[in-house]
């Protein structure tokens, strides 16, 4: 089947079924989504803290998964959210704009304390569109040995992965943040860019599909 996502008003209901989509509202479903990544036990009080933070995130599913992963990997208990300086703004319940959502992701990046290799991978991957790039091709172009760090980032929801074609890319919000980092440190992408330029230099023997992708 095919699915068309649109924000436009369409008079197609006579022959195209329409489903209106909205954010998660059910508390149990929100907690279930969070617990896909956070495995610690929680009291009712701690669950309410998490629900408050999720509410501040406007039930954004990407942010919920990322929050669970950051808390799990950094051994952050729910009650600590009210004590951590970097998370204090999450408890301020005011209207969120797109910029404030980016600020929240930046806070989680700070708490996550990403390694130099992880920042290197995410920065370079921010140059890739939503169509993605094959994982092996990306690793080769960035001169990365093995896939341990890449797989770790995939499991942590930092990287979007299509297992059928083994292609990777970043969530658009995450891409925007790491593109900002590139503007301050463009040298971090030199290896990747030079590799792609080299591949684009000799395309006469490549099939049409590969030429288009390059």
């Amino acid at each position: 089947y095919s699915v068309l996502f649109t924000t436009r008003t369409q008079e197609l209901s006579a022959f195209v079924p329409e489903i209106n989509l909205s954010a998660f509202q059910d508390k149990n479903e929100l907690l279930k989504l969070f617990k896909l990544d956070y495995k610690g036990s929680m009291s009712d009080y701690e669950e309410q803290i998490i629900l408050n933070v999720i509410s501040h995130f406007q039930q954004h599913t990407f942010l919920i998964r990322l929050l669970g992963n950051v808390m799990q990997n950094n051994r952050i208990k729910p009650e600590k959210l009210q004590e951590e300086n970097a998370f204090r703004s999450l408890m301020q319940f005011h209207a969120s704009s797109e910029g404030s959502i980016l600020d929240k992701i930046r806070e989680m990046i700070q708490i996550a304390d990403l390694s130099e290799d992880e920042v290197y991978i995410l920065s370079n991957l921010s140059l890739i569109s939503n169509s993605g790039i094959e994982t092996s091709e990306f690793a080769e172009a960035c001169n990365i040995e093995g896939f341990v760090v890449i797989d770790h980032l995939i499991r942590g929801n930092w990287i979007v992965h299509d297992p059928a074609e083994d292609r990777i890319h970043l969530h658009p919000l995450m891409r925007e943040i790491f593109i900002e980092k590139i503007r301050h440190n463009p040298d971090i992408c030199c290896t990747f860019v030079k590799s792609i330029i080299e591949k684009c230099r000799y395309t006469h023997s490549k099939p049409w599909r590969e030429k288009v992708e390059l």
Side-chain angles (χ1 to χ4, degrees):
Y1 56 89
S2 297
V3 178
L4 171 66
F5 292 92
T6 179
T7 57
R8 300 177 182 179
T9 301
Q10 302 283 354
E11 297 181 357
L12 301 174
S13 57
F15 57 93
V16 177
E18 295 182 354
I19 301 175
N20 293 323
L21 301 181
S22 59
F24 274 124
Q25 299 296 335
D26 186 277
K27 294 182 179 180
N28 292 327
E29 290 296 325
L30 292 169
L31 288 171
K32 184 178 179 181
L33 183 63
F34 173 78
K35 291 177 180 178
L36 289 175
D37 300 285
Y38 184 77
K39 306 303 181 183
S41 60
M42 293 189 293
S43 65
D44 292 342
Y45 171 71
E46 291 172 320
E47 287 185 352
Q48 188 56 54
I49 292 175
I50 297 301
L51 288 171
N52 288 342
V53 176
I54 289 174
S55 176
H56 185 64
F57 283 162
Q58 297 181 326
Q59 294 85 26
H60 198 298
T61 54
F62 173 66
L63 294 175
I64 294 172
R65 294 294 303 272
L66 194 59
L67 176 67
N69 174 264
V70 169
M71 290 179 62
Q72 178 67 28
N73 285 346
N74 292 277
R75 273 65 175 182
I76 299 174
K77 297 288 186 180
E79 65 269 16
K80 290 293 183 181
L81 289 179
Q82 299 180 98
E83 301 173 8
E84 294 286 348
N85 291 332
F87 273 100
R88 281 179 182 169
S89 64
L90 301 184
M91 309 310 294
Q92 298 171 358
F93 306 113
H94 53 75
S96 299
S97 64
E98 182 180 353
S100 66
I101 291 177
L102 290 176
D103 288 339
K104 294 165 195 171
I105 298 179
R106 291 188 187 98
E107 289 173 354
M108 283 193 280
I109 290 174
Q110 182 179 351
I111 291 294
D113 193 22
L114 297 170
S115 69
E116 185 176 334
D117 289 341
E118 289 171 331
V119 172
Y120 175 74
I121 289 170
L122 294 171
S123 297
N124 282 275
L125 202 53
S126 68
L127 298 177
I128 302 299
S129 70
N130 284 344
S131 60
I133 183 174
E134 288 188 10
T135 307
S136 57
E137 181 182 357
F138 176 76
E140 180 183 355
C142 291
N143 197 25
I144 299 170
E145 295 184 3
F147 304 96
V148 175
V149 181
I150 294 177
D151 287 338
H152 174 71
L153 291 170
I154 290 172
R155 289 191 298 270
N157 304 306
W158 296 92
I159 293 177
V160 181
H161 180 234
D162 175 7
E165 298 187 7
D166 195 22
R167 300 177 72 86
I168 54 177
H169 66 90
L170 295 186
H171 187 285
L173 291 174
M174 191 68 71
R175 180 186 302 121
E176 187 169 341
I177 288 175
F178 278 93
I179 282 179
E180 289 177 0
K181 292 183 179 297
I182 291 176
R183 292 193 180 104
H184 293 93
N185 180 25
D187 289 344
I188 198 170
C189 293
C190 280
T191 301
F192 176 66
V193 172
K194 287 179 180 178
S195 176
I196 296 301
I197 291 174
E198 193 66 23
K199 287 189 175 183
C200 292
R201 189 170 295 169
Y202 306 102
T203 61
H204 62 278
S205 62
K206 295 183 179 295
W208 174 249
R209 181 179 176 182
E210 290 186 28
K211 291 181 180 180
V212 171
E213 184 169 349
L214 284 170

